[in-house]
Amino acid sequence: MKQRNLTVSYRSETRIGSSPYAPSRYITVPALSLKGKWLEELGFEIGTKVCVECGNGVLKIRKIDCKK
């Protein structure tokens, strides 16, 4: 199994105030970006649905089989 090393970056998101008069504010949240032809080579074509299992410092990404 090949290994890919990535860096967790961030994404800015807008949080709307709790009332019409409260100002919106920007917060940063952790983000990962997976991209490359290697995804397609592994069967993750554009539009593929995925499931992400999380726990104990591990992320497991697998395709969701939509065929019945």
Side-chain angles (χ1 to χ4, degrees):
M1 182 177 291
K2 288 188 176 184
Q3 178 176 310
R4 300 283 172 173
N5 295 316
L6 306 169
T7 301
V8 176
S9 59
Y10 70 92
R11 177 179 172 172
S12 295
E13 292 188 357
T14 304
R15 296 289 187 213
I16 305 299
S18 58
S19 75
Y21 305 105
S24 298
R25 62 186 185 102
Y26 292 97
I27 63 167
T28 57
V29 295
L32 279 175
S33 178
L34 300 174
K35 57 187 171 187
K37 286 294 191 182
W38 62 274
L39 288 169
E40 188 174 64
E41 292 166 6
L42 291 171
F44 292 90
E45 293 88 10
I46 294 169
T48 301
K49 303 289 185 194
V50 298
C51 172
V52 180
E53 297 174 12
C54 329
N56 300 323
V58 174
L59 296 176
K60 183 177 179 182
I61 303 171
R62 63 180 174 80
K63 295 190 316 182
I64 296 173
D65 186 8
C66 295
K67 298 175 186 172
K68 300 249 177 171

